[in-house]
Structure formats: C-alpha cells, structure tokens
Amino acid sequence: MKNKNVSMAVIRRLPKYYRYLSELLDNDIKRISSKELSKLTDFTASQIRQDLNNFGGFGQQGYGYNVEDLQNELGKILGLDKKYRSILIGAGNLGQAIANYRGFSDSGFEILGIFDKSPKAIGMELRDVKVKDTKELADFIKENDIEIGIICTPKEGSQETTDLLVESGITGIWNFAPADLKVPDNVTVENVHLNESLFTLSYLLKGSN
Ligand code: NAI
C-alpha cells in the first residue's frame, strides 16, 4: 500500500481528504464526486483524482467515490488502521496539553508513558498516566514496544533525548522542540512548529495591508 514514488505534497494532502470524508460519514453522506470533494477541500477535482490515482483511484466514472470505502482506504494508506504505542517527553505546558487531548488516542496514538527530568513534574498524573523520571525512559521503551516518541522538551536537551529514544528502538519522532534533530535513516522525524505557521499568517496579513 505504501508507494515510495508518491510525493510528500500528495501525502500531506491525504489527512485533509481523510478528515472531510470522516465528516461526510458522520453526516451520513454515502457518495461524493471529486467535484463536490473539491468544493470542500479547496483542491481542484483533477488534483484530487490525480492524488488518489497514485494509490489505485477508488472512484467510478459517473458515480464518484463511495465515502466509507474511500475513508477506509485512505485510513489504511495513512496507517490509521493500527494502534501506535507512544511516549511523551517533557511534561510542561505543551506536553500537558498534548497528553490531555483525547483526539490523539481516539485516532490510535496511545500515550503509554510520560517522562520529565524535573522533580516538580515527576509523579504528576495526566489522563491516568503518571509522569516518570527520564532515567526510566530506555527500559520503558524496550519493555513496552514503544514506536513513537513525542518531544516536548526545550531545545536544549532535545537532541540528547532523541539519541536516547533512537538507541532504545524508537522509529518515529513527533518533534515540537525548535530544533533540527539528527537521526539515522531508519528513523522518521515529523516536526510541528506552530511559530512557522504563525509567521506565514503574519506574512499573508502583511501582504493584504
Ligand atoms: P515548559 O517549560 O512548560 O516545559 C518543558 C518541560 O520539559 C519541563 O517540565 C521540563 O522539566 C522538561 N524538560 C526539560 N529538559 C528535559 C529533558 N532533557 N528531558 C525531559 N524533560 C525535560 O515549556 P513548554 O512551553 O511546554 O514548551 C516545551 C517545548 O515546546 C519548548 O521547546 C518550546 O519551544 C516548544 N514549543 C513548541 C511549539 C510548537 O509549535 N512546536 C509550541 C509551543 C512550545
């Protein structure tokens, strides 16, 4: 199902299709044309058809797409048909907000452990998970088959934390620290930097003034 020739631009559009299809399903809509999907997503109908053709198409001429089937297929393509075992490091303001958000576990991303190095944070409970000392990190990853590490520490120490996660067998890192983390080829880092999005907004506002 994973197609190595598909561009990142296409892959980054898939979650948006998935989100709209889920909303359509919630509203009991069973079928949709690429034209209607285009109105919802703001991508052109031909872009949508091209994107989906990378994975086999899924539509039928004159019928459009079966919403449930397409959502299922996209879920499989995105790997949302499985559960991911993750841990979070850095139980400060951001870490707590992420750990407390139910939506991630509802999508299959379970946070099984939370770690911090500060005695102020260790012992605190976030959605039934007790914050542990980072000294316990390596053993916890190995004992619990953890795949994803969510980094919510300050920039300082984020590479050190990454190295420890990688050495302990983690293959996916969701990084919120403002740092370009170095990892081996078998490890994937996905960065989330709200600032970059905010600065883009600032640029666009500036352009409209
Ligand atoms: P905070 O100061 O409230 O929390 C940081 C936590 O990390 C503290 O509990 C601290 O004890 C812990 N910590 C520090 N070094 C550690 C280490 N080596 N190992 C384990 N725990 C460690 O900070 P806040 O506001 O939660 O921000 C955390 C990080 O997220 C910062 O790097 C900040 O720049 C970043 N951030 C990123 C955003 C984004 O869009 N990517 C948005 C907001 C914050």
Side-chain angles (χ1 to χ4, degrees):
M1 189 62 81
K2 198 166 176 180
N3 185 340
K4 288 213 163 120
N5 297 320
V6 179
S7 75
M8 276 312 285
V10 175
I11 292 161
R12 294 215 181 271
R13 284 193 287 273
L14 298 182
K16 188 163 174 180
Y17 296 141
Y18 185 83
R19 176 162 58 86
Y20 275 106
L21 290 163
S22 304
E23 278 177 23
L24 291 168
L25 267 188
D26 288 345
N27 290 311
D28 229 13
I29 294 169
K30 297 196 165 37
R31 152 184 169 180
I32 190 158
S33 66
S34 47
K35 207 167 159 190
E36 288 163 322
L37 202 51
S38 154
K39 278 193 208 136
L40 288 176
T41 57
D42 263 354
F43 301 134
T44 64
S46 84
Q47 172 101 80
I48 294 171
R49 283 193 299 270
Q50 268 179 39
D51 285 353
L52 297 177
N53 277 341
N54 280 299
F55 304 95
F58 314 117
Q60 278 172 40
Q61 203 140 29
Y63 176 87
Y65 300 99
N66 176 300
V67 174
E68 189 174 3
D69 289 350
L70 184 56
Q71 195 241 21
N72 266 331
E73 291 301 331
L74 285 184
K76 281 188 221 159
I77 291 164
L78 287 166
L80 302 177
D81 53 340
K82 63 167 277 195
K83 297 246 178 275
Y84 290 90
R85 300 168 70 77
S86 56
I87 53 166
L88 184 147
I89 307 98
N93 289 305
L94 183 68
Q96 289 180 36
I98 290 174
N100 279 319
Y101 178 56
R102 197 176 293 271
F104 300 134
S105 55
D106 288 349
S107 308
F109 297 85
E110 291 172 287
I111 298 180
L112 299 170
I114 303 173
F115 296 85
D116 202 290
K117 69 172 194 183
S118 159
K120 277 193 205 149
I122 297 165
M124 181 169 59
E125 234 176 78
L126 300 166
R127 287 192 66 211
D128 296 334
V129 179
K130 214 172 225 177
V131 179
K132 294 186 173 63
D133 193 324
T134 36
K135 285 179 192 147
E136 297 175 49
L137 196 58
D139 285 345
F140 188 92
I141 292 171
K142 287 173 198 151
E143 283 161 17
N144 293 281
D145 279 334
I146 303 295
E147 287 170 271
I148 297 179
I150 306 170
I151 299 192
C152 298
T153 65
K155 181 178 180 184
E156 300 71 33
S158 58
Q159 184 62 53
E160 211 178 304
T161 302
T162 301
D163 295 345
L164 183 57
L165 295 181
V166 170
E167 272 164 35
S168 309
I170 273 199
T171 49
I173 293 181
W174 199 24
N175 173 41
F176 287 84
D180 292 317
L181 302 172
K182 307 270 180 300
V183 293
D185 288 346
N186 64 324
V187 176
T188 304
V189 179
E190 176 65 19
N191 295 301
V192 184
H193 297 316
L194 298 182
N195 266 357
E196 290 175 11
S197 168
L198 197 57
F199 295 170
T200 307
L201 175 66
S202 152
Y203 172 82
L204 294 172
L205 286 177
K206 199 171 135 248
S208 66
N209 287 333

